[in-house]
Amino acid sequence: MDTTLRSDLAARGVAPECIETIDLVRDVLARVGDKWTVLVIAALASGPLRFTALHEQVAGISQRMLSQTLRLLTKDGLVTRTAYAEIPPRVEYTLTPLGRSLSNAVDGIVHWVQEHQAEVVQNRTKFEATHPRP
Amino acid sequence: MDTTLRSDLAARGVAPECIETIDLVRDVLARVGDKWTVLVIAALASGPLRFTALHEQVAGISQRMLSQTLRLLTKDGLVTRTAYAEIPPRVEYTLTPLGRSLSNAVDGIVHWVQEHQAEVVQNRTKFEATHPRP
DNA sequence: CTGAATCCCTGCCGATACTG
DNA sequence: CAGTATCGGCAGGGATTCAG
């Protein structure tokens, strides 16, 4: 846990419950900002999927990362894991209502990108043109 | 640039312009999900600030990271950098309209956290209780 | 099929020191 | 004041192997 920021904020008299919120905001942003989480959520948005299906649907993800991502999502209550006692085993992952609501919040950023994509790309190329990196 | 995902998506026939958007969505999410960007944007939301003021306002950030973060934000056109030819030098950073619009989009996630904070925390503790990690 | 465990490499980021 | 340069730790994540 990032103790540094917490103590820095506390040192300047920020209210504890406010620090908690700031901490969780950063935590959630880091989570949705990681390499795979949003892709997994997006894949689950259209309905429940089992492990292998997810592995196929989310392009390029490794088993390790899929497993880890799903465990974290399950832990936060964004995804439910249902294991059926069969042979071979079958496990289904489903987006919870909480997970859907987060997905909707993330959609806000997706829409922002869709609206401002051209502008950002243009800014980048213009910046590189005026700021030569030798 | 994550070539892997791009080729994986291309291999299954996803439209090129759609891949570009997906790429930029991940890029923006990774940016706002990094350790400092949102804090810097939040600090600039209330008005222009110079380098040192930002360094004091954003708790715990190093000069290196502040400088780097500001350069990336400037490159994308989210922040403008204005240097005054004085001694000692003075540089002001200001959020652009584009930066403000992104800030608003991120607010959606902040609100989500504020609404569902308790639920997430509760889910986590419950998960740890039912999933003992020796 | 659904993972967990291990190895290893890369890149992020903090600390420190230096410049115009 | 406003940065850049350099070094080093360490955590994210990919490939592979093992297990239930």
Side-chain angles (χ1 to χ4, degrees):
Chain A
M1 183 148 341
D2 193 336
T3 306
T4 313
L5 176 67
R6 298 175 66 92
S7 53
D8 273 337
L9 289 174
R12 60 176 74 174
V14 175
E17 71 272 20
C18 185
I19 294 182
E20 290 301 326
T21 300
I22 292 176
D23 237 38
L24 194 59
V25 167
R26 295 180 106 214
D27 189 89
V28 170
L29 283 175
R31 187 74 41 93
V32 300
D34 79 359
K35 202 170 178 180
W36 300 112
T37 298
V38 285
L39 293 177
V40 170
I41 289 180
L44 288 174
S46 45
L49 287 174
R50 46 195 298 187
F51 190 86
T52 304
L54 270 170
H55 192 216
E56 291 165 357
Q57 181 131 354
V58 179
I61 195 172
S62 65
Q63 282 191 346
R64 170 182 152 78
M65 279 301 108
L66 178 56
S67 174
Q68 184 176 118
T69 301
L70 287 170
R71 183 155 15 90
L72 290 174
L73 289 173
T74 303
K75 175 175 178 177
D76 284 359
L78 303 170
V79 159
T80 56
R81 193 193 110 112
T82 316
Y84 298 90
E86 307 171 357
I87 292 179
R90 179 166 61 99
V91 178
E92 271 196 354
Y93 291 93
T94 312
L95 218 52
T96 65
L98 188 63
R100 288 189 186 281
S101 70
L102 176 57
S103 180
N104 290 334
V106 172
D107 275 347
I109 294 189
V110 174
H111 291 141
W112 183 89
V113 170
Q114 288 172 339
E115 281 185 30
H116 303 284
Q117 185 172 12
E119 196 172 349
V120 169
V121 172
Q122 185 178 340
N123 287 333
R124 287 182 182 177
T125 58
K126 184 174 298 180
F127 184 91
E128 280 173 0
T130 52
H131 293 254
R133 310 291 285 175
Chain B
M1 173 139 356
D2 195 339
T3 306
T4 314
L5 175 68
R6 297 175 67 93
S7 52
D8 273 336
L9 289 174
R12 60 177 74 174
V14 175
E17 71 272 19
C18 185
I19 294 182
E20 291 300 326
T21 299
I22 291 177
D23 237 37
L24 195 58
V25 166
R26 296 180 106 214
D27 189 88
V28 170
L29 284 175
R31 186 74 41 92
V32 300
D34 79 2
K35 203 171 179 182
W36 299 112
T37 298
V38 284
L39 294 177
V40 171
I41 289 180
L44 289 175
S46 45
L49 287 175
R50 44 197 299 188
F51 189 86
T52 303
L54 269 171
H55 192 214
E56 290 165 358
Q57 181 130 355
V58 179
I61 194 171
S62 65
Q63 281 193 348
R64 171 183 152 78
M65 278 302 106
L66 178 56
S67 173
Q68 186 176 116
T69 301
L70 287 170
R71 185 157 9 93
L72 290 174
L73 289 174
T74 303
K75 176 174 177 175
D76 284 0
L78 304 170
V79 160
T80 56
R81 193 195 110 112
T82 317
Y84 298 91
E86 306 170 358
I87 293 178
R90 180 166 60 99
V91 179
E92 273 196 354
Y93 290 93
T94 313
L95 217 54
T96 65
L98 186 64
R100 288 188 188 282
S101 70
L102 176 57
S103 180
N104 291 334
V106 172
D107 275 347
I109 294 188
V110 175
H111 290 142
W112 182 89
V113 170
Q114 288 172 340
E115 281 184 31
H116 303 286
Q117 185 173 11
E119 195 173 350
V120 169
V121 171
Q122 185 178 342
N123 287 332
R124 287 182 182 177
T125 58
K126 185 174 298 178
F127 185 90
E128 281 173 358
T130 52
H131 294 254
R133 311 290 288 174

